[in-house]
Amino acid sequence: MELRQLEYFLAVADNLSFTRASKRLHVVQSGVSATIRALERELGAELFIRGPAGVRLTPAGEQLRPHARATLDAASAAKDAVHATRGAVRGTVTVGTLTSINVIDLPTVLAELHARHPEVRVQLRAARAGTTGLERQLRDGDLDIAFLVFPGDVPAGLNGQQVAAVKLHLVVPAEHPLASAASVTLAELAGMSFVDAPPGYGTRIVIDKAFAAAGVERTVTLEVADLGTAAAYIRNGLGIGFLSWTILDDIDDAGLVTVPVTDQELCWRLYVATSATRPTSAAVRALLSLIKEKA
């Protein structure tokens, strides 16, 4: 069994597609398929179910996946140890990011990382299902670092450091009945329509938890994955919502009014997290150090 075979196997397992895996690996698809077939022959078991609906892992493939990840991690750690003797930091870091996150200037951080460690390569992965999806990918080993939002303590199995805490503001259209209110409570928002992120997104988790704690039911009539666009929907009367100053500062807030909420302080806390069960490479540690420095 070769490291290359495990690398190709994980690329297909992560993408559930031979086509996408070949693009990620910069290898022709036939080469990926041939490598996987050779690995299956060596192991005496099929690793993937190929069908018209796509690619799925077999039970054997599911069992191999964490061991393949651990083997490649160990090989990477061995390379790190050798490179460290020459003072070099190199390798690839896969980072999971959320949409509409500008409380940390990630492009500047990555530019500084490249200036200090030009042999480190970074792969950015946008959230498919918000914080919940990124956390799952981080635990599965598909990500090295993820930016996550937690309403409380960092969950077991993860290491995390808070890099930002941002208050959420209730935002209503200028013509809304609440626009002239000096303040409101969550109870006064019962029965109103909301614009919010889908379930599993960090802000949605924070807001849902606050309403549940207050015993107030909330109706989300419009879900938008990119909260940077939520203000436009609120302005057009499709609902009210909670937005952070980081979003409000980036938009034309004409036609919008913020109303203080007196009985709850909704705060959106951003963490940079890694798996507590996997070793961190020198490249990961270098990027974490820069994020903490710039946060």
Side-chain angles (χ1 to χ4, degrees), residues 3 70-86 279 281-282:
L3 293 178
T71 300
L72 291 179
D73 283 346
S76 177
K79 291 179 182 178
D80 282 348
V82 173
H83 296 153
T85 64
R86 305 197 305 269
S281 68

Side-chain angles (χ1 to χ4, degrees), residues 11-256:
V12 178
D14 291 348
N15 290 276
L16 293 180
S17 165
F18 282 85
T19 301
R20 289 193 294 270
S22 66
K23 290 179 180 178
R24 170 172 145 182
L25 295 165
H26 305 290
V27 178
V28 295
Q29 184 174 333
S30 58
V32 176
S33 298
T35 299
I36 297 299
R37 284 196 298 270
L39 179 60
E40 289 176 323
R41 285 196 299 271
E42 183 171 344
L43 294 173
E46 287 193 352
L47 301 174
F48 297 100
I49 298 172
R50 294 103 161 148
V55 176
R56 291 187 291 120
L57 282 164
T58 64
E62 293 283 4
Q63 288 297 315
L64 176 62
R65 190 177 189 183
H67 295 286
R69 185 84 63 193
T71 300
L72 291 179
D73 283 346
S76 177
K79 291 179 182 178
D80 282 348
V82 173
H83 296 153
T85 64
R86 305 197 305 269
V89 177
R90 60 178 63 175
T92 299
V93 183
T94 306
V95 181
T97 64
L98 298 164
T99 57
S100 302
I101 300 300
N102 56 5
V103 291
I104 182 167
D105 188 350
L106 194 54
T108 297
V109 170
L110 296 183
E112 181 66 21
L113 178 72
H114 180 71
R116 297 186 191 182
H117 308 290
E119 294 183 273
V120 172
R121 187 164 68 103
V122 176
Q123 297 175 337
L124 291 179
R125 299 281 185 268
R128 298 175 183 173
T131 279
T132 301
L134 289 178
E135 181 181 343
R136 183 170 57 250
Q137 290 178 273
L138 185 61
R139 292 184 184 278
D140 289 344
D142 300 333
L143 299 173
D144 298 308
I145 295 174
F147 288 97
L148 305 173
V149 176
F150 298 126
D153 295 333
V154 177
L158 299 180
N159 293 323
Q161 177 168 327
Q162 184 175 307
V163 294
V166 181
K167 185 177 179 180
L168 295 173
H169 300 272
L170 177 64
V171 179
V172 304
E175 66 277 7
H176 194 275
L178 289 179
S180 59
S183 63
V184 296
T185 64
L186 292 189
E188 293 176 90
L189 304 180
M192 295 188 179
S193 298
F194 281 81
V195 176
D196 206 340
Y201 279 64
T203 53
R204 178 70 178 267
I205 294 170
V206 170
I207 297 166
D208 283 349
K209 184 176 180 180
F211 273 82
V216 180
E217 290 190 10
R218 187 171 73 109
T219 303
V220 177
T221 55
L222 180 64
E223 295 179 349
V224 291
D226 184 354
L227 281 176
T229 65
Y233 295 110
I234 294 171
R235 184 184 294 112
N236 282 278
L238 292 170
I240 62 177
F242 289 91
L243 299 176
S244 68
W245 64 261
T246 61
I247 291 175
L248 293 171
D249 280 359
D250 282 348
I251 62 171
D252 176 9
D253 61 0
L256 297 174

